[in-house]
Amino acid sequence: MDISLLLSILAGVILAVGFLGTFIPVLPGAPLAWVGLLLCYFSSYNQLSLVWLIITAVIAVAVSILDNIMPVYMTNKTGGSKAATTGATFGLIIGFFAGPLGIILGPFLGALIFELRATRGSFGPALKSAWGAFLGFLLGVGMKMGAVLFFIWLYVRSFLK
């Protein structure tokens, strides 16, 4: 098999795994997808410019940083503590095993439970901070997903030039 073809196929596989990483917390979605574009750059089957490679690297770094900041920012904005952010993360991990609905509800329920524990049962503030943690999580996932879908679009488009 031609090494260039192997690079192109591997790039597609890594981009797909990067997409999974947009909602699976143990996989670095955008950076992993960017590695797929890097392989694409070195394949003669794809036409991806160095400029696009640099732009997408900046996007991957920015999205990765914002993904870590958004849940904390939104939790703080709604008066929550670090417990809500931690709970949202645990909820996502546990919710992953419950399927798509678990991935959506897990962060909210995790943030709510952890914040209820931190506030000693004060439901109103816990609900408000859980909502903030959940919104921050959704914003982070949305940004990662948008970036990785853009990377996949660049990969597909690189065949057509």
Side-chain angles (χ1 to χ4, degrees):
M1 180 182 279
D2 177 10
I3 189 72
S4 192
L5 178 60
L6 183 62
L7 285 173
S8 187
I9 292 169
L10 191 55
V13 170
I14 292 174
L15 279 158
V17 173
F19 180 75
L20 291 175
T22 62
F23 54 88
I24 298 175
V26 295
L27 293 174
L32 194 58
W34 184 83
V35 169
L37 288 180
L38 179 64
L39 293 177
C40 174
Y41 175 76
F42 290 108
S43 171
S44 63
Y45 286 89
N46 306 90
Q47 300 297 316
L48 186 68
S49 72
L50 181 59
V51 171
W52 275 115
L53 195 62
I54 292 169
I55 290 170
T56 54
V58 170
I59 291 170
V61 169
V63 164
S64 296
I65 291 170
L66 286 172
D67 179 45
N68 290 310
I69 292 172
M70 289 310 295
V72 175
Y73 174 76
M74 292 301 292
T75 302
N76 289 337
K77 191 89 168 148
T78 56
S81 68
K82 184 175 169 122
T85 304
T86 304
T89 303
F90 278 113
L92 173 64
I93 293 168
I94 293 168
F96 177 71
F97 296 104
L101 190 58
I103 291 172
I104 294 168
L105 292 178
F108 176 78
L109 292 174
L112 180 64
I113 291 166
F114 275 59
E115 190 68 13
L116 276 171
R117 187 162 180 235
T119 61
R120 293 179 168 57
S122 183
F123 189 76
L127 183 63
K128 187 176 176 185
S129 63
W131 179 247
F134 179 67
L135 286 178
F137 162 75
L138 286 181
L139 286 170
V141 168
M143 286 185 300
K144 287 188 298 187
M145 199 171 283
V148 172
L149 286 172
F150 175 63
F151 294 177
I152 292 170
W153 176 79
L154 283 174
Y155 170 74
V156 170
R157 191 189 72 136
S158 74
F159 285 108
L160 306 176
K161 281 193 167 188

